[in-house]
Amino acid sequence: MNDLTLVKRVLSNEPGSFDELVRQYQKLVWHIISRLVQNQEDTLELSQEVFLQVYCKLGQYKGQSRLATWIGRIAYHFAVRFLQKQGRAIDESDAEVDEETKLEEEQAEFIQQHQLRTQILKAMEQLPLIQQTIVSLYHLEEMTLLEISQVCDLPQGTIKSHLYRARKRLKQLLQSKRESL
Amino acid sequence: MSQNIDQKEWLIQERAMDKPVLDNSAETRDELEGYRKVYQLLDDAPMSQPPSLLAEGIVKTVTKRKRKQRVIRIIMSALLFAMAIAGVFGLTVLLPQSALLTEVSQAAPWGLIICALIVTGLVGLSIRKLAQKI
């Protein structure tokens, strides 16, 4: 269904329409918040707050972007504000401090993991929060670089760089695991 | 920041998302396979999912909020109505007693009504703003 049609239905208080909107976008909101916040309880609470905000501000959505981008942006900012309040600022600088040493330590820990499916999750957890979010949005939510840059309020080049580094790192980590077996 | 990217490898990363791989050197094929494996694992990984009751909880909260807003709106309307009535009564009581008001009402009766309406409107807007913050 067209984004604007769904928004109009919600704004005109059509029964079940908001329920439909929540069900359609809950995965997206959950992925963004859980990647950044890394705690199920906080993710649940923040997801509820995000949808309340979406409900209150839905009248401001004019269809300039996909509704997923608009909602994703709200979710991202909620999560970032939450992290800031907790003094856990998100590092958007793409800094790779002491990469080699870090990688070796991570590989050593990584070797402990045996389940193939959980390997990727472990590898994801070793990425900076921003990179985890970008990988989720690009590969799981199938958003474009432009849409992700709108969600995260970062230039497309930065998003591309984060994605490039994240995928490269994931590949390295998985390869090192395979070689160690 | 995008200058830090190895463009060749970026293209390999992107191409690895397409299923058929054609005319690649052995080295590129290995790279492509490596990235393809990453993407496949990402697709299959048991990612954290929202609890099934999330949507239900949110809809309930929004319904509660809507009800609360409706009550606030009714109270606001009642308050404004009461204020308007009080204003009219006040004027009818004060008008004969105050020489200034009598003069004003005789000189510009519509001006007085417009002033009363503006004051009522401003108070109404303030109450609305307050209600939005609740």
Side-chain angles (χ1 to χ4, degrees):
Chain A
M1 182 196 289
N2 182 307
D3 286 346
L4 275 173
T5 316
L6 179 60
V7 169
K8 272 181 196 161
R9 285 176 52 212
V10 175
L11 290 176
S12 60
N13 283 324
E14 193 181 307
S17 55
F18 185 65
D19 195 358
E20 196 180 320
L21 183 142
V22 174
R23 285 184 202 285
Q24 205 168 321
Y25 294 104
Q26 61 177 351
K27 255 188 176 178
L28 167 76
V29 169
W30 189 266
H31 279 153
I32 293 175
I33 297 175
S34 64
R35 281 278 149 232
L36 291 167
V37 170
Q38 311 254 312
N39 173 305
Q40 181 126 358
E41 264 177 45
D42 292 334
T43 304
L44 182 64
E45 205 170 301
L46 280 173
S47 299
Q48 290 188 333
E49 283 179 35
V50 165
F51 278 109
L52 281 178
Q53 179 85 343
V54 166
Y55 181 78
C56 293
K57 301 226 162 167
L58 204 56
Q60 292 173 14
Y61 175 73
K62 301 286 178 237
Q64 318 89 317
S65 58
R66 277 204 304 150
L67 190 56
T69 313
W70 191 76
I71 293 176
R73 197 179 155 90
I74 295 176
Y76 180 82
H77 286 284
F78 257 76
V80 169
R81 261 203 306 272
F82 177 81
L83 289 177
Q84 283 168 346
K85 273 184 198 166
Q86 291 204 326
R88 293 159 57 197
I90 179 169
D91 184 13
E92 291 170 347
S93 65
D94 196 21
E96 286 180 48
V97 187
D98 208 1
E99 194 65 28
E100 287 302 312
T101 332
K102 214 175 165 191
L103 196 62
E104 274 172 23
E105 285 168 7
E106 285 164 0
Q107 281 170 358
E109 193 184 315
F110 196 65
I111 287 167
Q112 308 295 318
Q113 306 305 323
H114 297 294
Q115 291 281 326
L116 188 70
R117 283 181 165 188
T118 53
Q119 276 178 34
I120 194 79
L121 293 179
K122 291 282 166 196
M124 280 277 272
E125 282 166 16
Q126 291 172 36
L127 297 176
L129 295 180
I130 184 75
Q131 292 186 359
Q132 292 184 34
T133 311
I134 291 170
V135 169
S136 288
L137 289 176
Y138 195 77
H139 286 281
L140 303 176
E141 298 298 333
E142 294 177 353
M143 281 188 163
T144 63
L145 291 176
L146 175 67
E147 285 171 338
I148 301 171
S149 79
Q150 287 169 348
V151 167
C152 303
D153 247 343
L154 290 170
Q156 267 193 79
T158 309
I159 299 293
K160 192 173 167 181
S161 173
H162 277 305
L163 185 62
Y164 167 78
R165 283 169 196 283
R167 295 196 290 205
K168 195 171 172 177
R169 194 126 176 247
L170 285 176
K171 184 168 140 286
Q172 278 176 342
L173 288 165
L174 288 170
Q175 265 172 355
S176 71
K177 167 66 183 162
R178 271 206 298 270
E179 279 160 16
S180 73
L181 285 175
Chain B
M1 201 180 273
S2 55
Q3 295 94 318
N4 301 333
I5 291 178
D6 175 350
Q7 287 300 331
K8 194 182 159 204
E9 193 164 354
W10 167 259
L11 285 176
I12 291 173
Q13 288 185 352
E14 287 295 287
R15 283 182 64 195
M17 285 194 286
D18 305 328
K19 289 288 174 231
V21 183
L22 304 166
D23 65 337
N24 295 303
S25 65
E27 191 192 351
T28 315
R29 245 197 316 273
D30 284 350
E31 287 276 284
L32 279 166
E33 277 313 312
Y35 282 117
R36 181 156 307 132
K37 187 79 194 160
V38 171
Y39 303 158
Q40 193 192 328
L41 284 172
L42 277 174
D43 281 344
D44 296 342
M47 294 290 178
S48 152
Q49 297 294 332
S52 53
L53 291 175
L54 176 68
E56 209 176 295
I58 292 164
V59 172
K60 263 187 198 164
T61 317
V62 166
T63 315
K64 254 190 221 167
R65 184 173 276 209
K66 265 190 207 170
R67 214 172 293 151
K68 195 175 156 190
Q69 278 176 342
R70 203 177 302 147
V71 170
I72 289 171
R73 219 172 291 143
I74 291 169
I75 293 171
M76 249 170 56
S77 310
L79 208 66
L80 272 179
F81 183 71
M83 272 174 49
I85 298 284
V88 171
F89 269 113
L91 272 180
T92 47
V93 171
L94 281 175
L95 209 59
Q97 290 173 6
S98 157
L100 178 71
L101 277 177
T102 315
E103 252 175 59
V104 172
S105 72
Q106 278 169 357
W110 285 109
L112 200 63
I113 290 169
I114 288 166
C115 275
L117 284 175
I118 288 172
V119 169
T120 312
L122 285 175
V123 173
L125 283 174
S126 314
I127 291 175
R128 196 181 158 186
K129 252 197 170 164
L130 271 175
Q132 278 171 345
K133 281 185 183 170
I134 296 169

